[in-house]
Structure formats: C-alpha cells, structure tokens
Amino acid sequence: MMMTGAQILVEALKREGVEHIFGYAGATICPIADVLRETPSLGYTLVRTEQNAGHMASGYARVTGKTGVCLVTSGPGATNLVTGIATAYLDSIPMVAITGQVPSNLLGRDIFQEVDITGTVAAFSKHSYLVKDAARLPQIVKEAFYIASTGRPGPVLIDIPVDIQEQEVADVTFPESVSIRGYKPSVRGNDLQIKRVAEAISKSRQPVICAGGGVWLAGARDELVELAERYSIPVVKTMMGLSVLPTDHPLNLGMIGAHGNRCANKALAKSDLLIMVGSRVADRAIISPEEIQRRMATIHIDVDPAEIGKNMQAAIPLVGDVKVILRQLLELQVPAPDDAQWREQLKEYRRAELEREFPRREGYVFPGTVLRKLGRLLDDDAAVCVDVGQNQIFACKYLPQKHGRLLTSGGLGTMGYALPAAVGVKVAQPERQTVVICGDGSFQMAMNELAAVRCANMDIKIVLFRNQVLGLVHQIQKTAPYHGPFGVALDGSPDFETIAAAYGIPSMVVRDEDALDETLERFLATQGSCILICEVDPDVGTTD
C-alpha cells in the first residue's frame, strides 16, 4: 500500500491520540491540509495569527494533560509561531509544532518563504527534526511525542519540506514503542534522598512548601495536597503553581515573589525549611536565592536535573517525577513537625490579607474588587486564562481560587496569551466555564482571535481592564530611576464595544463599583461569549 508523506503524518498523529490541531494554511503545508480535509476524526481550528496556534495548543495541553499540536506553513508562518514555541518552552508545555518547508532541493538557496526554522528554535525547543525522507515520519512522530511529553515537557518541532509531504512510500510501518539513546528521564526518586527529606520535614519547626508549575505538569495536585495536609505544612505558590490549593484552604498562603502576597513572602522569609516542588527558582518568585540558601535548609524536587542548583543550591536535591516522588514520601510514616505555633502566626498574616479593603475612585473600578467578586461567582472548576501585565498580577493576587485552573504565561511573559489559550481550553472541554482576564494592551495583541471564538460559537467570558495605558510599564516608569510615563499611552485604541459587535459578541461596561454585583451576574449569565469592559484608573498600581 502506497502512502504519501502527508498521509503518513496524519496517520501517525491519529495513532498518538491526537484529536485536534490548531493551524494556519499556506502553500508549503497544503498537502497535509488536503489530507486533514479527508480526516473528519481530526478537528481543526483556523487561527488568525500563527503565534496563537501555539497558545491554543498550550491551553489545550494544560487542561487535558495531552500534547498539543499546531501546524503552520513555512517562512513567516514558521517565524510567527516562534513566540508560541518559546512561550511553551519557558512554561514546560508539551507541544508538537509542525511546519511546512520549501522543497528539499531548494533548501539553503534563500528562495521565497524559506527560513531555517529548526536552527531558529534550537535554543527554546526540546528537539527539532528536518524530515528528509517520508519513510522516517512514523519514527520521527513517535519520538517527537515521547520527547515532548516525558521528563520536563516542552515543544518539539517537525519541519517537513513540501516534496517530502508528497513523496510516496510503500509498506509503511508504524512503531509501537520508542527508545532514544541518551534520553532516559528520571522518574523514581533516590530512596536515600527520600528518607533525608522525610527526616528534614519531621525535624523542622517552620516548614513551607513552595509549589510550582511542575506540580500541574506531573498531575501531582492530589499528592501535594495530601502531603501538606498530613504534616500540616503551609503552602506558598509560584505564579505557575497557582490554583493548586483553593484560596480558602487553611494551609494556602498565596503567591510568593516580587508581585506576590505579603503573607506568602513573610512565610518564605521566616521558614526554617523550604520544600520546593516543581519550581525552577526563577527571579520573579525568589528574588534573593543566596539569602534563602543562607538562612534555611532547602529541598528541591524537580524532574529536570539541570534546574537543581542552577539558581540556588539545595541541601537535599531530589530528581524525578514529582507525582512519583510525592507518593514515595507519603508511603513513609514519619512524625509530623511540631509547627502549630508557626501555623497560627501565619494564619493571622493571611486573615488580614484576605479581609483587606480595596481603595475606591470615582468613575473607576478597582481590579482587585472586580476579581474578588468575580471569583466568588465562578464555577468550582472554572478555567481562568490570564494575560500578561498588571491584569496578571492583580488576578494572581486577588482572584479567589477554587478547584479549577489558572493559566498564564509565567516564563516568557507573552502578552496576547490569554484569549487563544482560552480557545484551546474550550476546544478541549466545551462545557467547562472559561474566563479570560486581560488589559486593553494585551487584548489588542490577540483580539483577532474573536473570529475563531465566533466561528465555533464558543462561550468565553472576557474581562477587559481598560486603563488606556500599558499598565505595568507605566507603573514601573513612575518609580526611580525612571521619570516616565513615555511610550505607554494606548492612543488610538479602538472602541472595544464596536469591535465586539463587529464580531457578533455582546459587551457591557462598568465604571461604578456599586453596580459591580449586578453587572457581573448579568455578564456571566449572558448566553455565549461576552466582553466586560472595566474602566480602571491609569494610575492604579499592583501595590495599591
């Protein structure tokens, strides 16, 4: 039986359990597009900018635990996707990105829409392939999905010249398993190190668990909560670890870092044992790793050995799958730490924070007030996709978490991430309540994806904070040594109500906090998608 390279690729994707692809067609990807047209079992979403194909695949992957797939053409299609690939890499999202390429015999001649995309993404992808023979596609696809989803997840690129897509191959064999020499990610933690961790927990008096995005990636939420509850250990989170614990959980202290909660940062500063789980100790989360290392014992649990000691030396390093390691710890029966006094002290810090009253300004709503009220109205398992900027910091600090997910771009900090990520969530889980939180700057980087939302009649609720400036940059410029504001005014921004109406999506505006409760209830009750435009004072900062 003869199969073309395009047919082989699509069949290999089906065998990997792929159900949906996000993409944008072009000349060098047309052979694959033709096969997809004849393959109804594979869903397809047409994005409006290639970057967003990566973000949609990311949102899809993060709520399903599967590897997201995106497909674009060569040249500018591939380079537009670069930001989506880099965003996935910095947040460790499993993704396979497929790009079309110019004919093999013309590679290296700088012909129309040729770009060395495998070389371009080398620094921020787990691996990449330039396919030179269609017969190799079954093995390449098998390896790509294995690499993307194992160890520390991340994006893998497959670049396929158009002639390879059209190449015919006889007697195609699809491998059932894969083994890659030199690539054997650690899974189980070292038993001796596990015992050392258990002993350190038992002897501590002021322990703190720091949960990062690796907890979600490993599917280890239940294990982490069980460990914290068994030993009554307070939990702080990095931005990527948010929503691991509900806001009202007695052990939840909030987010640490430069933009974190006062309570969480106090706990981190006063702890005598820091247990970092699936966190890379980035600068936004831990500002002074040398000081932390000097003042307390540290345990670092991560699947990626390159992260251990990269930013901070750990007294007890532990490499392996977070879910497996936490289960190993739970199998040991050790005395719980004597930390009741510690927890009582932290409880007072947290209570004051949760009961804090926000400022009011005539003609505006305060983002914290909006988010606090919104969070209480959301479904228990709602997915909230948050963009980058002030809206991100406000959401991470003040949006009450239940048992859902908060998705954002934490590593690369990509503006325009939230709306396409929400599309990916909605494709994967159509019945799940899905909310976008963004600013008027970040929204304009992705608002063309309202077409994808409208095309599929999705129900996505969009909260848009309109302050007429790039809020976080404006806030930074107001502090020494900067003398701004400069280059942050969003002059020329469109009338968002008119934009929404042009896409057939209703909108509403709120600028009076006394009307917030009624407006939020009406907003969430709207059938289908809706945009809530919240008027925010441009001088409001995340520390207000």
Side-chain angles (χ1 to χ4, degrees):
M1 180 180 176
M2 301 292 290
M3 295 180 72
T4 66
Q7 290 171 329
I8 294 170
L9 173 76
V10 171
E11 178 60 28
L13 293 177
K14 289 167 58 180
R15 289 170 180 255
E16 292 301 319
V18 175
E19 297 177 340
H20 204 92
I21 297 172
F22 305 91
Y24 200 99
T28 64
I29 209 71
C30 279
I32 295 173
D34 282 347
V35 177
L36 288 174
R37 181 183 59 182
E38 306 299 328
T39 313
S41 62
L42 277 180
Y44 182 83
T45 295
L46 173 66
V47 302
R48 269 47 180 186
T49 300
E50 288 92 349
Q51 170 178 315
N52 294 331
H55 299 335
M56 289 183 191
S58 170
Y60 182 96
R62 293 173 76 172
V63 296
T64 62
K66 299 179 180 179
T67 299
V69 180
C70 49
L71 175 77
V72 302
T73 194
S74 64
T79 56
N80 282 348
L81 183 60
V82 163
T83 299
I85 294 172
T87 301
Y89 182 74
L90 266 293
D91 286 338
S92 305
I93 309 301
M95 179 191 298
V96 170
I98 301 164
T99 54
Q101 185 55 276
V102 301
S104 302
N105 65 317
L106 297 179
L107 284 170
R109 300 189 186 183
D110 294 331
I111 70 164
F112 180 70
Q113 291 195 333
E114 179 191 359
V115 68
D116 176 12
I117 192 63
T118 55
T120 300
V121 303
F124 44 82
S125 60
K126 282 193 75 176
H127 196 57
S128 63
Y129 297 88
L130 172 59
V131 185
K132 298 178 180 179
D133 183 357
R136 286 267 300 136
L137 272 168
Q139 185 68 32
I140 286 173
V141 172
K142 193 73 179 176
E143 289 181 4
F145 276 81
Y146 176 66
I147 293 170
S149 60
T150 55
R152 179 177 178 171
V156 175
L157 177 89
I158 305 176
D159 193 34
I160 315 176
V162 65
D163 59 308
I164 300 300
Q165 298 172 41
E166 295 171 334
Q167 178 190 345
E168 293 189 334
V169 180
D171 302 322
V172 181
T173 301
F174 293 89
E176 295 295 328
S177 60
V178 61
S179 178
I180 303 173
R181 185 177 180 181
Y183 180 71
K184 303 292 181 186
S186 299
V187 176
R188 185 176 173 83
N190 179 278
D191 289 334
L192 179 59
Q193 294 294 81
I194 292 286
K195 291 180 180 177
R196 290 182 63 197
V197 169
E199 290 170 0
I201 291 173
S202 180
K203 293 177 181 178
S204 66
R205 292 295 176 267
Q206 296 181 178
V208 166
I209 293 173
C210 175
V215 175
W216 284 113
L217 292 166
R221 178 187 194 172
D222 291 345
E223 285 78 7
L224 184 126
V225 173
E226 185 178 346
L227 180 73
E229 290 179 341
R230 177 182 295 184
Y231 297 109
S232 299
I233 304 175
V235 179
V236 299
K237 282 83 56 84
T238 66
M239 183 177 288
M240 299 306 291
L242 280 171
S243 62
V244 164
L245 279 179
T247 298
D248 60 4
H249 193 288
L251 295 174
N252 178 24
L253 300 181
M255 183 178 77
I256 59 169
H259 299 288
N261 299 93
R262 184 167 175 264
C263 173
N265 285 329
K266 269 196 169 186
L268 182 66
K270 296 179 179 294
S271 171
D272 66 358
L273 177 66
L274 175 61
I275 309 162
M276 297 175 289
V277 185
S279 169
R280 65 170 178 264
V281 198
D283 60 315
R284 241 188 174 195
I286 297 182
I287 302 168
S288 302
E290 299 85 1
E291 182 67 12
I292 295 291
Q293 183 180 317
R294 184 184 68 82
R295 294 176 58 181
M296 67 194 70
T298 56
I299 297 166
H300 195 173
I301 303 172
D302 204 286
V303 73
D304 185 358
E307 290 299 336
I308 306 289
K310 184 170 76 176
N311 293 319
M312 182 170 69
Q313 293 296 324
I316 309 176
L318 197 48
V319 178
D321 183 278
V322 167
K323 186 181 184 75
V324 173
I325 287 176
L326 293 180
R327 184 51 56 192
Q328 287 179 262
L329 281 169
L330 289 166
E331 289 172 358
L332 297 179
Q333 299 298 322
V334 296
D338 181 13
D339 64 348
Q341 184 177 352
W342 165 242
R343 282 183 283 111
E344 197 61 33
Q345 181 182 3
L346 293 177
K347 188 185 298 183
E348 285 304 305
Y349 293 154
R350 186 62 168 159
R351 182 191 59 77
E353 193 167 79
L354 293 176
E355 294 177 0
R356 175 198 167 193
E357 291 189 8
F358 295 124
R360 293 181 65 127
R361 303 190 185 189
E362 186 72 25
Y364 299 107
V365 293
F366 186 74
T369 304
V370 176
L371 293 164
R372 186 179 283 177
K373 291 177 178 290
L374 173 70
R376 291 167 181 163
L377 295 173
L378 294 181
D379 292 349
D380 188 67
D381 68 340
V384 182
C385 300
V386 181
D387 229 303
V388 173
Q390 276 186 336
N391 62 91
Q392 182 186 50
I393 309 306
F394 281 122
C396 291
K397 290 176 71 170
Y398 301 127
L399 181 72
Q401 303 295 317
K402 296 179 183 176
H403 294 91
R405 285 295 303 271
L406 187 147
L407 307 181
T408 192
S409 170
L412 196 63
T414 306
M415 290 177 68
Y417 175 81
L419 180 56
V423 172
V425 171
K426 209 63 178 174
V427 165
Q429 300 169 345
E431 301 306 315
R432 188 173 193 174
Q433 186 181 44
T434 305
V435 177
V436 168
I437 296 171
C438 58
D440 44 355
S442 56
F443 180 67
Q444 291 182 74
M445 289 194 171
M447 65 184 184
N448 52 353
E449 297 305 340
L450 289 177
V453 172
R454 188 72 181 98
C455 179
N457 293 314
M458 293 180 175
D459 179 4
I460 296 176
K461 300 299 191 290
I462 301 168
V463 178
L464 194 164
F465 292 126
R466 178 163 62 188
N467 61 1
Q468 308 291 348
V469 294
L470 300 176
L472 195 54
V473 184
H474 178 51
Q475 177 179 327
I476 293 168
Q477 287 179 340
K478 292 188 335 186
T479 61
Y482 306 105
H483 305 287
F486 177 77
V488 295
L490 291 173
D491 298 332
S493 290
D495 181 333
F496 294 118
E497 298 97 307
T498 301
I499 289 289
Y503 284 101
I505 295 174
S507 63
M508 51 190 73
V509 179
V510 61
R511 54 176 57 87
D512 179 1
E513 291 195 359
D514 290 334
L516 256 180
D517 291 321
E518 181 273 332
T519 304
L520 285 170
E521 289 179 3
R522 185 159 47 92
F523 166 65
L524 293 175
T526 303
Q527 186 173 3
S529 293
C530 186
I531 300 178
L532 174 62
I533 302 165
C534 303
E535 298 290 356
V536 174
D537 186 336
D539 289 325
V540 161
T542 56
T543 58
D544 289 357

Short mmCIF file of all heavy atoms in Angstrom, two decimals, residues 461 520-527:
data_model
loop_
_atom_site.label_atom_id
_atom_site.label_comp_id
_atom_site.label_asym_id
_atom_site.label_seq_id
_atom_site.Cartn_x
_atom_site.Cartn_y
_atom_site.Cartn_z
N LYS A 461 -16.04 34.07 28.43
CA LYS A 461 -16.29 35.36 29.05
C LYS A 461 -14.97 36.11 29.20
O LYS A 461 -14.01 35.59 29.79
CB LYS A 461 -16.96 35.18 30.41
CG LYS A 461 -18.32 34.46 30.35
CD LYS A 461 -19.33 35.22 29.50
CE LYS A 461 -20.75 34.68 29.64
NZ LYS A 461 -20.95 33.35 29.02
N LEU A 520 -21.75 41.83 37.06
CA LEU A 520 -21.05 40.56 36.97
C LEU A 520 -22.01 39.39 36.80
O LEU A 520 -21.76 38.46 36.02
CB LEU A 520 -20.16 40.35 38.21
CG LEU A 520 -18.88 41.18 38.26
CD1 LEU A 520 -18.23 41.06 39.63
CD2 LEU A 520 -17.89 40.74 37.18
N GLU A 521 -23.09 39.43 37.53
CA GLU A 521 -24.09 38.35 37.41
C GLU A 521 -24.71 38.33 36.01
O GLU A 521 -24.89 37.28 35.41
CB GLU A 521 -25.16 38.52 38.48
CG GLU A 521 -24.66 38.21 39.89
CD GLU A 521 -25.73 38.41 40.94
OE1 GLU A 521 -26.88 38.73 40.57
OE2 GLU A 521 -25.42 38.24 42.14
N ARG A 522 -24.99 39.52 35.48
CA ARG A 522 -25.56 39.60 34.13
C ARG A 522 -24.53 39.17 33.08
O ARG A 522 -24.86 38.49 32.11
CB ARG A 522 -26.02 41.05 33.89
CG ARG A 522 -26.73 41.29 32.58
CD ARG A 522 -27.57 42.57 32.65
NE ARG A 522 -26.84 43.69 33.22
CZ ARG A 522 -26.15 44.58 32.49
NH1 ARG A 522 -26.09 44.44 31.17
NH2 ARG A 522 -25.52 45.58 33.07
N PHE A 523 -23.29 39.55 33.30
CA PHE A 523 -22.19 39.19 32.40
C PHE A 523 -22.02 37.67 32.31
O PHE A 523 -21.97 37.09 31.22
CB PHE A 523 -20.90 39.86 32.92
CG PHE A 523 -19.61 39.35 32.35
CD1 PHE A 523 -19.31 39.51 31.01
CD2 PHE A 523 -18.67 38.74 33.17
CE1 PHE A 523 -18.09 39.07 30.49
CE2 PHE A 523 -17.46 38.30 32.68
CZ PHE A 523 -17.17 38.46 31.33
N LEU A 524 -21.96 37.01 33.45
CA LEU A 524 -21.76 35.56 33.47
C LEU A 524 -22.98 34.81 32.97
O LEU A 524 -22.86 33.68 32.49
CB LEU A 524 -21.39 35.10 34.88
CG LEU A 524 -20.02 35.57 35.39
CD1 LEU A 524 -19.82 35.16 36.84
CD2 LEU A 524 -18.88 35.03 34.53
N ALA A 525 -24.15 35.42 33.10
CA ALA A 525 -25.39 34.76 32.66
C ALA A 525 -25.66 34.93 31.17
O ALA A 525 -26.56 34.28 30.62
CB ALA A 525 -26.58 35.29 33.46
N THR A 526 -24.87 35.77 30.50
CA THR A 526 -25.07 36.00 29.07
C THR A 526 -24.88 34.71 28.29
O THR A 526 -23.94 33.96 28.55
CB THR A 526 -24.07 37.05 28.54
OG1 THR A 526 -24.22 38.26 29.29
CG2 THR A 526 -24.29 37.33 27.06
N GLN A 527 -25.75 34.44 27.35
CA GLN A 527 -25.62 33.24 26.53
C GLN A 527 -24.48 33.44 25.53
O GLN A 527 -24.46 34.41 24.79
CB GLN A 527 -26.92 32.94 25.78
CG GLN A 527 -26.89 31.62 25.02
CD GLN A 527 -28.25 31.28 24.45
OE1 GLN A 527 -29.19 32.06 24.57
NE2 GLN A 527 -28.35 30.14 23.81
#
